[in-house]
Structure formats: C-alpha cells, structure tokens
Amino acid sequence: MARVLQGGLIAAVTLMLAGVAVKFATGDLSAPSVTITTILAAPSAGDRLMAAGIAVLVATPALNVLLLGTMWWRQRDLRFMATAAFVAGMLAVAAVVGG
Amino acid sequence: MDISAGVFVGLIGLGIAAGGLGALIGIGGGIVMVPVLVVGFGYDIRVAVATSLVAVVATSTAAGASYAREGLTNMRLGLTLETMTTVGGVTGGLVAIVMAPSVVAGVFAVVMAVTAILVWRHVESAEDDRLTAVPPGSVSGREEPGGLAGIYLERTTGQLIRYRARRLGLGSGISLVAGMLSGLLGVGGGFLKVPAMTLGMGIPTKVAAATSNFTIGVTAISSLLVYMARGFVHPMIATPTTLGIVAGALGGARLSPKLRPVTVRRVLAVVLFVVAVQMGLEAAGVRSG
C-alpha cells in the first residue's frame, strides 16, 4: 500500500509541476475550472497536465481501496472485502450524483 | 477567471503554512486554508472547499505511505469507519453545493471558533510530542485478519501493545458526522475521528492517528468528486496550494523537534479566532476592513 500511495503522489506532483511550467512558459495565467468529464478537454496543455495530476491524486486513495478489497478477497476475508467494495461503490456514487 | 503571478505565489505560501502547521501540531490544512482562500483571496467558498479537499488528499497520501510502512495503520478498522464517513462526505458535499455560500461560511465560522478554543486549551503531554513524528523503525505492527484488532511493538519502550476496537456504533456515528463536516467545510475530519477512536473505541493513539490519516484521503475524495462534478475545482488554484502543502508538511516535520508545540498552538488559536470572526462577518454580509 505504501508503494501505491508514494507512486501516486509522485506521479501527481510531477504532472502538476509540468502543468505549471507550461502555463508560465506560455504566459497563460487563466484559471478555468474542470469537471470529471472535461479533464482532458481543458483549454490549454498546462491546464490538462494539472488536471491530470489532480485526477491521479484523487485516483490514488481510490485505487488503494480497490487493492485492499482484492487482497482481502484473496485472503477469503469476505467481510472486509465487502466493506472495501461498499466504500468503492460510494466513491462511484459521489462521481455520479455530483453531476 | 485569471490569477496573477503574485496570487499564484501567495497560494503556494498559503499551502506551505497550512502544511507546516499540520505537521507541527496535527491540525489539518483545511481549517486554515478555506477561510484564507475566502477572506484573503476572495474566492467562492465552494471553490475554497474544493481546493482544500485536493490538498487534504495530498497530505493524507504523503503521510499515509509513511504510516503504512510502520505497520501502524489498521486498514480494516479504517475502511469499516469509512463506510459511514463516505456517506457523510457525499451528503455534506451535496448539501454545501445547494446551500447558500453565506450559510456555509457561517457554519465554518462557528467550527473555527470552537477549534480555536480547543487548540488554545489543548493539554500538552509527552504523548503529543511522539505524535508529531514517528521515527522510522521505532514501531512496527500489524492488524489481525477477520476482525478490528491489532498489535504493535513500541520499540522505544519495548512494549507489545494489543488492542481491539469497541463501540463500533459510536465510532461509526461520529465518522458519519466527520464525513459531513469534511464535505461541507473542506476539512479532513481527523479532529473528530482520532478522539472517536481513542476515547470512544479504545484504540491506541498512534494507531488512531495513523488510521485516521489513511482514511482522511478517502473521505476527502468522496466529497471532492461531488465538487469536481459541479466544476468547482480550478487546477490553477488547487495546484499551487497542493504543492505548497506537501512542501510545508515535509518542512514542518523537520522543524518539529526544534519548536515548542504549545507556542505554535497558542499563535494558531489566536489566528483561527480572528479569522473565524472575519468569516462570521462575511457570512453576515458585513464588509470587513
């Protein structure tokens, strides 16, 4: 789990820093908003990189939940596999009901 | 919306301050970040909350890796409590989006004022000093499969500490409230979760802090996804604050042994109270300064 968290954070920070560099290099200091479905459709390359970094950051704990559920399923610890599945389901609900 | 280079640097500075405070005294960045984004930078409170939630995910992820390596985090316990926290987080996020921003600001002002009083009155103890940094290799632990129990070896004292969670209903109820506050106000919720686990469920403080840290990230994304779906996340605002908070947390951890937590707490309590008053005035529609 530690490797997933660390890897996710490093990837997210790298994308964010790249996005900032592109924004400043192109002199574009606009601050548009993004939604879940428009991450890759953000106005500029810099915005897309930063948005992708945020998406990776958001996905990291969610991926962790899925990996824990898979691990507990393999261990036949079905009660906690179901718990992880419920939490993952709530995250999916959040993405859908918010829109 | 455009931002200037000066505002961008200011957002990084805000992140560094919030991350540093979190590392020094365990108060999460959200309680500092949201009011400064609203009162200082003039952003809509929903944009401020969304920005704070991104930063909360980052700090939880950064610290979570460290705690996980030490074996302190009880993931079964954490995810069990998260079943209610995520429900609260989604609910809080949806409520915040439809609620008038002035009402959200008013609720935040009250929570900040209460937090300021609690921070001021916090009793310093040796346990708190150990909480601010867990030296690598000083503890090692594991959770027991099939239940909400675990064991860890406190190497500094040689003590083998066993624990088992009690009063799951109480912990779940408080987790639901913590999730709602997280979704409504952009805070991590640890200030409720840790006492719920230690005082309510009989979990050792270090395990509670580590487990809370792991769950805060999951809680934050449950409401962040709601804000993100509604377009309240601005990468050009969230990115500098997030980068700053990660840097601040790393720096704060290094400074921790050199500063007296009680001094930092007292200064923070005063700042929180002043900003709470400002938020209250904003909520009431009274122009400040």
Side-chain angles (χ1 to χ4, degrees), chain A residues 1 29 31 33-34 77 94 98, chain B residues 1 3 75-76 146 230 233-234:
Chain A
M1 188 184 95
L29 296 186
S33 66
V34 293
D77 203 342
Chain B
M1 183 193 291
I3 68 172
M75 292 171 227
R76 285 174 174 82
R230 297 292 181 104
V233 172
H234 295 251

Side-chain angles (χ1 to χ4, degrees), chain A residues 61-62 65 82-95 97, chain B residues 77-95 171-184 188 193 214-226:
Chain A
V65 172
T83 302
F86 180 89
V87 173
M90 280 307 303
L91 297 179
V93 166
V97 300
Chain B
L77 174 62
L79 280 192
T80 299
L81 295 176
E82 274 305 292
T83 57
M84 296 311 294
T85 320
T86 48
V87 172
V90 173
T91 306
L94 287 171
V95 168
S172 296
I174 295 174
S175 294
L176 177 67
V177 174
M180 291 187 73
L181 285 177
S182 175
L184 194 64
K193 289 182 179 181
F214 157 64
T215 62
I216 277 170
V218 180
T219 304
I221 64 175
S222 70
S223 45
L224 176 58
L225 285 167
V226 175

